[in-house]
């Protein structure tokens, strides 16, 4: 795999700026929770597993920053003229542990968690990663901020490493489902760029090719952010895997022509009953796949399954800025005065899902009982 | 109706350049069959009924040009150095009628028909209009080229006038199907811009609003040429009809949310069994509408029904340049090295069509027998 989506360098998190791919390739550098949250919100980094990993680094970076490893924390002082008032010590929550108790470490960390949790609502990996980081923090809360920060950084590294390991396990499980020569449609980008590396749906293709199967990928361009045209196509070209780009409205034609053998997509959150939230348009692909008796698979690490959410109806669907639909980047083509909708995700009911490809195996025709058993393993 | 899609002025055909709408509004002027054919091919003008009307004008323009009304025909002469050899008199088809027999009028007209017929393959209105113009030509073939040209121009004017009258009849028939307050999805642009005026699908909305119904339109943006975002949205804003733009992959979400009450689209060709060829993505909308029990209507003048084609499988589907899918105009975003498909149309089987809205009434659940009876009326 040739793409390093995110990396730790010079005590900072560096991530590929996915907004400018494939015309430009550039890493952006982050050193605080607020900066990471803004990177997630503005889609410098996107894809549920990648969002989880960078959020974990966001927590670690905030701990490093607050503990003074990166820069000294400014002393409590009267607000600057015209600036926002700084929090008063009296309003901070009670401090846990020792360390630099009075320096606002704990309240700063809480603010970091809050800003990260507010960055994007749909991908559950974000909340999963934040919860895991919180548990680690609580487990070492009696240590010094410096020690806490180092422990949190180690955990972020571990989450990143795990993510790649899990992707490869999913890849192997999914590859077994694809026959040699399969022409596989995917939507959006569930690739190395959507994870710490390897990818979920595209990881399945990578693993299939690594196992000697000939795979050709059909990529929906995925308006409005064009993750398919820009990111999936780019990743597959990098890997020398055959890839054909279509606009989102061509998938039905391709299926009717008999040119698609299977669909594999990623997901941002799977409900306890197997309903799948994923990039807007996934539902349409699933409905068409059913009509044409084409298997519809969802590559999904366990961290993307949210047992706290009963069905897809309870998954929050983010609506993003109208500007994304008006055009692309600085090029606007929509008629002036038109109203715009921009739901970023949709829900595919479990009944349309042939199988969930997880690191623990493939759950065929997923339902609540099967998902409960999967976690009980 | 505020939009004059095409008009006759200064002995030329003028058409709105739909490639640059809505950012620019400009008429282009045409004075020959070859020029009109290039305008159709490059999508200066598009939409099945509009293509038919401008093709008729293309025939008339060619007759005017050849008959010397616009410019003198060069005498037969040896080829210019490096130029293409001109046709020799001996190779011309036998001349009909009198007129300027030896001046190549008939062969010039045949060449004009040929270049127009080759401009775009899917819309049947093109061939319908050319056949109608040919029959008029044959009916006056004994007259002078000047007289023939005037007769053909009169016929083109008549086809234009008829088109608007037919659209209004379809509009009234279709409007009766929409309830007050209906939220109606449309795909591509089947509006005034796709016809001589009023529109087919958008004509239904115009007629419904004129009849006092509150209608709100949801417009698919319609990649790659973005007729929905640029043309349908623009037309509806001009008319003060509520219009909401979505990307093509959002239609399923909107239906699942219960935000669509009906679908009305246009068509480029309907087969004898009721199968509907229309802009790529129409089939996906039809499949989704069926899943959600939403009526799916096709506004379709009789000139768009091709009884010579048994089923949708026999309708030629144009594949256009890869450049259209790589981006939009000069903005390219697709990854380098990706393969591209660009089918411009798809076929919706008759079983998914709730009704064909024609100028003679609505054909519910169309099939071969019902369409035969429609023409026998």
């Amino acid at each position: 795999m040739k793409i390093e989506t995110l990396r730790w360098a010079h005590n900072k998190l560096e991530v590929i700026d996915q907004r400018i791919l494939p015309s430009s390739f550039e890493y952006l550098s982050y050193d605080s929770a607020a900066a990471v949250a803004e990177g997630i919100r503005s889609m410098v980094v996107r894809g549920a597993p990648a969002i989880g990993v960078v959020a974990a680094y966001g927590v670690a970076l905030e701990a490093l920053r607050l503990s003074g490893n990166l820069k000294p924390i400014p002393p409590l002082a009267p607000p600057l003229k015209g600036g926002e008032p700084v929090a008063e010590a009296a309003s901070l929550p009670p401090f846990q542990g020792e360390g630099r108790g009075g320096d606002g470490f704990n309240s700063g960390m809480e603010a970091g968690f809050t800003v990260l949790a507010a960055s994007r609502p749909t991908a559950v990996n974000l909340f999963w990663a934040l919860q895991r980081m919180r548990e680690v923090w609580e487990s070492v809360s009696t240590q010094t901020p410096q020690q806490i920060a180092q422990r949190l950084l180690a955990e972020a590294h571990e989450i990143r490493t795990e993510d790649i390991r899990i992707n490869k396990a999913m890849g192997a499980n999914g590859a077994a489902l694809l026959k040699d020569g399969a022409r596989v449609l995917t939507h959006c980008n569930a690739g190395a760029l959507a994870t710490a590396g390897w990818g979920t749906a595209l990881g399945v293709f990578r693993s299939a090719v690594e196992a000697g199967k000939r795979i050709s990928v059909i990529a929906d361009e995925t308006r409005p952010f064009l993750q398919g045209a820009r990111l999936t196509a780019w990743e597959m070209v990098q890997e020398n895997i055959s890839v054909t780009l279509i606009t989102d409205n061509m998938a039905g034609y391709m299926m009717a022509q008999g040119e698609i053998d299977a669909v594999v997509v990623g997901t941002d959150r799977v409900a306890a009953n197997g309903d799948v939230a994923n990039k807007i348009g996934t539902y349409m692909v699933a409905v068409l796949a059913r009509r044409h008796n084409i298997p519809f698979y969802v590559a999904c690490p366990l961290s993307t399954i949210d047992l706290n959410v009963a069905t897809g109806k309870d998954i929050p669907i983010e609506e993003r800025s109208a500007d994304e639909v008006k055009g692309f980047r600085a090029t606007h083509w929509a008629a002036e005065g038109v109203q715009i909708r921009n739901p970023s995700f949709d829900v595919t009911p479990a009944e349309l899902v042939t199988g969930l490809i997880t690191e623990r195996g493939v759950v065929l025709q997923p339902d609540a009982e099967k998902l409960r058993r999967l976690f009980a393993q």
Side-chain angles (χ1 to χ4, degrees), chain A:
Chain A
M1 195 200 33
K2 305 180 182 88
I3 301 158
E4 202 175 28
T5 308
L6 51 100
R7 63 189 182 199
W8 185 254
H10 319 300
N11 276 329
K12 292 183 182 172
L13 175 68
E14 295 186 346
V15 301
I16 297 173
D17 186 350
Q18 300 191 28
R19 298 168 308 179
I20 58 174
L21 276 175
S23 48
S24 303
F25 183 94
E26 196 176 294
Y27 281 88
L28 295 182
S29 176
Y30 293 95
D31 64 1
S32 72
V36 168
E38 178 55 22
I40 295 171
R41 195 205 55 74
S42 66
M43 294 174 69
V44 169
V45 64
R46 27 64 53 201
I51 288 172
V53 177
V54 301
Y57 276 107
V59 171
L61 283 164
E62 195 62 15
L64 286 165
R65 197 178 71 82
L66 292 169
S67 70
N69 274 11
L70 290 180
K71 52 180 167 181
I73 298 157
L76 283 179
L80 293 172
K81 218 168 177 178
E84 291 294 303
V86 299
E88 284 179 33
S91 71
L92 294 175
F95 294 112
Q96 299 167 351
E98 41 172 352
R100 300 172 65 186
D103 64 4
F105 180 80
N106 287 2
S107 64
M109 287 297 288
E110 288 297 349
F113 274 100
T114 301
V115 72
L116 285 164
S119 59
R120 291 195 79 188
T122 302
V124 74
N125 307 59
L126 172 66
F127 306 101
W128 170 89
L130 292 179
Q131 181 57 28
R132 178 159 159 179
M133 294 300 278
R134 179 176 288 281
E135 285 166 14
V136 169
W137 178 27
E138 284 171 1
S139 75
V140 293
S141 64
T142 56
Q143 298 182 12
T144 66
Q146 287 77 6
Q147 288 170 320
I148 293 171
Q150 289 306 323
R151 179 66 191 82
L152 290 172
L153 180 60
E155 190 70 14
H157 288 329
E158 173 59 21
I159 290 175
R160 178 184 178 219
T161 306
E162 261 179 33
D163 185 66
I164 296 173
R165 191 167 62 231
I166 286 168
N167 283 342
K168 294 201 172 179
M170 273 191 297
N173 291 336
L177 300 166
L178 300 180
K179 62 170 204 248
D180 185 36
R183 299 157 300 174
V184 194
L185 178 79
T186 191
H187 188 73
C188 195
N189 172 269
L193 290 167
T195 62
W198 203 249
T200 58
L202 300 196
V204 169
F205 306 156
R206 285 189 167 93
S207 295
V209 168
E210 206 176 59
K213 290 181 179 172
R214 285 160 302 177
I215 298 292
S216 51
V217 175
I218 296 92
D220 281 348
E221 68 174 13
T222 319
R223 279 279 294 147
F225 203 65
L226 296 161
Q227 291 95 332
R230 298 189 301 111
L231 309 181
T232 292
W234 182 75
E235 278 196 38
M236 295 293 92
V237 169
Q238 300 285 311
E239 298 275 355
N240 249 329
I241 297 175
S242 166
V243 56
T244 300
L245 176 65
I246 60 174
T247 58
D248 298 305
N249 52 23
M250 292 175 188
Y253 173 85
M254 297 292 281
M255 289 184 187
Q257 296 289 111
E259 298 190 44
I260 310 280
D261 300 306
V263 178
V264 184
V265 296
T267 168
D268 293 80
R269 193 185 305 211
V270 173
N273 72 338
D275 289 352
V276 171
N278 191 41
K279 180 53 53 192
I280 189 75
T282 303
Y283 169 60
M284 294 174 62
V285 172
V287 168
L288 285 156
R290 170 60 51 90
R291 180 175 168 94
H292 292 282
N293 292 315
I294 295 168
F296 178 87
Y297 297 112
V298 179
C300 142
L302 264 62
S303 58
T304 305
I305 302 173
D306 185 357
L307 295 182
N308 296 318
V309 154
T311 75
K313 285 193 181 60
D314 305 318
I315 298 175
I317 300 295
E318 177 184 8
E319 288 238 9
R320 293 182 62 83
S321 157
D323 280 345
E324 291 183 351
V325 172
K326 281 182 188 162
F328 181 66
R329 291 183 191 149
T331 308
H332 279 199
W333 51 66
E336 287 293 321
V338 69
Q339 299 161 72
I340 284 175
R341 290 289 298 275
N342 188 13
S344 199
F345 302 91
D346 61 25
V347 172
T348 299
E351 52 121 349
L352 295 176
V353 178
T354 309
L356 290 180
I357 301 167
T358 80
E359 65 268 39
R360 289 201 190 149
V362 178
V363 182
L364 293 173
Q365 295 167 296
D367 60 25
E369 177 53 29
K370 287 176 186 169
L371 291 190
R372 243 193 324 270
R373 272 189 271 138
L374 179 74
F375 277 87
Q377 272 175 30

